[in-house]
Every structure is written in C-alpha cells, then in structure tokens.
Amino acid sequence: MSGPRLKKLFDGVDLHIQDLYLLEPFQIEYFPGWIPERELAAVLRAYPAIDRFLRTSAPAVAAFLDATKARYPASADRSDLAQSEDTVIWTIADLVVYNKCPEVYDRLEFHNWDFAEVTNITPLEGRVVVDVGSGTGRVALEAAAIATAVVAVEPVTRLRHFIRDKAAQAGRRNVRVVAGFGHAIPLPDGSADVLITSHALGWRLEDELTEFERVVAPAGHIIHCPGTAEIAAEEQQHRRLIEPAWNYRFARFREADGWKRKYWKNCRRLGQ
C-alpha cells in the first residue's frame, strides 16, 4: 500500500522519523525493495544513530544500507530532507502503527467482516484453533467464544501484548498468545483442528502453505481470508492456491471495502 493511501487510512496518526526505533529486526529486513532508496539514503546520512540502530538490529540489511548510502549523496536541503523523512516513514506506516498505536489499527473498518465466513466452512465447537498472523487478535477472540482453545501466533511483540490485554478484558482465558510467523509456527505437528489466517498470507507463500499443512491435524481445516480481491496483482497467488499442488477451494465474500476472496481446504490425508 502506498504512502498516500496509508496517510488516508491512518488519518490523524502522527508519525516521526524517530518512530523507526520502534521496528523489530524482521520488520527492518523488509526494507530492501520496499523503501525508496534515495529518500532512505538521505535519512541515514542525516541521522547516524538511526543508521546504527537499523544495522545493529538487523545485520542482514547492513550491505543494503551501505549500498544505498553509496548510491545517493547527502541532502543539503532541509525541505528535501523533511520530504525524505515523510516518504520513508509513511511507506512503512503500517509496520510503525503496529508498534506505536495498535489500537488505531484495531479500529480499521476492514476488520469488521462477518466471522460466519469461517464458521460456515467448519464448526469450531470443541476444536483447537490456531490464528496465524493474529494482528490485534480480532479473529482469535471471535474464535475463542466458540472453540475449546485458541492459539494466536503473532511476530510483533507489541501486538502480542495487545492481544493478551484484549483477551483478559473479554474474559477469554482459552486464548494463548505466542511469537511466530506463518512460515515458522512454534507448535507440534498435527496440533490444530482449524488454522485461520486473516490479512496475513503471502509474505513467504510456499513456506507458509507447507507449514500450515504440518500444523493441522489429519481431517482438519485451513481457512484463509487474506483480504485479496479479483485484481491482476492478486492473480498469481490466487492461481497458486487453487492449483492441484495445494488444492484450495475459494469463494467471494463481502468486506467493508468490497468483494474479496476466501480460501479453504480439508486436510484429509490419502486413504482416510
């Protein structure tokens, strides 16, 4: 999502270049190929402490930061630097908001899709549900009202705290929150009856799909509500999901900003 669209989405949120200090190492590793390099170089040269923080937190991006600084000279113009700061921070505003003000992210309208899109695929009563990329915990808490147990898997530390607070306030004692990624879920093989993702699919698609199959029990269900629409930019992932290798079914459903797709499969093993 572009900077202008994120400014509209997070209208009223005040972000500063120093908010880069809130980022976790895995988030910093997303920088190459995402943040405009000329603007990033200006920020790195103007703020050596930020440069040190980024490379110390995420050594994997150090070579990228060095190459970016070498490619672009320092900005001598204060207004140009201010514009560079604005571009950098708003390009990754969603990452920053996760860490700075998750309550703002939690209020976004796109979270308010009908949870029956999950329960009309498979019942959750008596099930162990894993919500991968749990975000602010909306799906985890919806599932916890029905399921026996819910594990919310979320890589962002601040969001994990936020989910725990929400679960405590709602009296959902059957919610466990753990650190993890879609491609690295810290749960045993076959430990989930139902695995759900919501707006959290596709960072490392093949690794994620493989990991989901490992975690879900035989005859369990995997359900994705990724927030993707019928547009050209989403077609490659759509085709991959419905190919025989992964064999997901799909249907259209309504979110706040229009029609989206959901995907699901039953993990019944051969011979069952």
Side-chain angles (χ1 to χ4, degrees):
M1 192 176 290
S2 67
R5 290 181 65 191
L6 288 171
K7 283 186 177 182
K8 183 177 180 180
L9 186 67
F10 297 122
D11 184 37
V13 174
D14 191 18
L15 299 182
H16 306 279
I17 199 63
Q18 287 77 15
D19 291 330
L20 291 176
Y21 289 117
L22 298 174
L23 296 178
E24 298 197 37
F26 79 92
Q27 295 173 315
I28 297 168
E29 290 176 3
Y30 294 149
F31 280 19
W34 186 2
I35 293 186
E37 293 183 14
R38 186 188 71 82
E39 289 81 0
L40 177 60
V43 168
L44 296 175
R45 290 181 177 280
Y47 298 96
I50 289 177
D51 186 7
R52 287 194 300 274
F53 167 76
L54 295 175
R55 64 180 63 242
T56 300
S57 299
V61 304
F64 164 73
L65 298 179
D66 288 338
T68 299
K69 287 170 65 178
R71 192 173 296 118
Y72 298 98
S75 175
D77 186 277
R78 180 62 216 180
S79 63
D80 182 65
L81 175 59
Q83 183 59 51
S84 293
E85 293 178 25
D86 186 79
T87 297
V88 167
I89 202 66
W90 280 102
T91 295
I92 57 167
D94 47 353
L95 301 185
V96 177
V97 169
Y98 297 158
N99 296 277
K100 185 173 184 177
C101 42
E103 69 282 354
V104 172
Y105 185 74
D106 195 44
R107 292 195 296 265
L108 294 180
E109 191 176 13
F110 76 81
H111 291 297
N112 298 322
W113 52 272
D114 187 352
F115 194 65
E117 297 294 344
V118 169
T119 56
N120 64 18
I121 294 172
T122 186
L124 301 185
E125 289 85 357
R127 305 288 186 85
V128 174
V129 175
V130 176
D131 175 27
V132 178
S134 195
T136 57
R138 183 262 170 162
V139 167
L141 267 65
E142 289 261 21
I146 309 169
T148 296
V150 174
V151 181
V153 180
E154 171 53 48
V156 179
T157 304
R158 181 67 185 89
L159 290 178
R160 293 197 299 274
H161 293 320
F162 189 80
I163 298 167
R164 292 188 183 105
D165 289 344
K166 283 181 65 177
Q169 291 165 11
R172 304 294 187 211
R173 297 184 179 181
N174 58 338
V175 176
R176 179 162 65 100
V177 185
V178 300
F181 297 85
H183 63 274
I185 301 172
L187 296 175
D189 295 0
S191 56
D193 298 309
V194 181
L195 183 147
I196 306 169
T197 73
S198 171
H199 292 256
L201 179 69
W203 289 97
R204 291 173 54 173
L205 183 63
E206 297 298 316
D207 293 338
E208 292 166 0
L209 297 178
T210 300
E211 184 72 337
F212 301 156
E213 301 273 337
R214 180 189 69 79
V215 170
V216 173
H221 282 78
I222 303 174
I223 303 169
H224 304 301
C225 296
T228 55
E230 295 173 346
I231 57 176
E234 308 291 353
E235 282 306 301
Q236 183 176 354
Q237 177 171 296
H238 170 70
R239 289 195 302 270
R240 186 59 178 144
L241 288 169
I242 65 175
E243 285 175 357
W246 296 114
N247 199 33
Y248 280 91
R249 301 172 64 187
F250 77 98
R252 301 168 75 237
F253 75 103
R254 191 82 179 177
E255 282 194 359
D257 58 345
W259 288 98
K260 301 299 175 69
R261 289 168 172 155
K262 67 177 180 179
Y263 301 85
W264 70 94
K265 70 185 299 183
N266 184 291
C267 295
R268 191 172 301 280
R269 283 20 173 197
L270 190 62
Q272 292 180 330

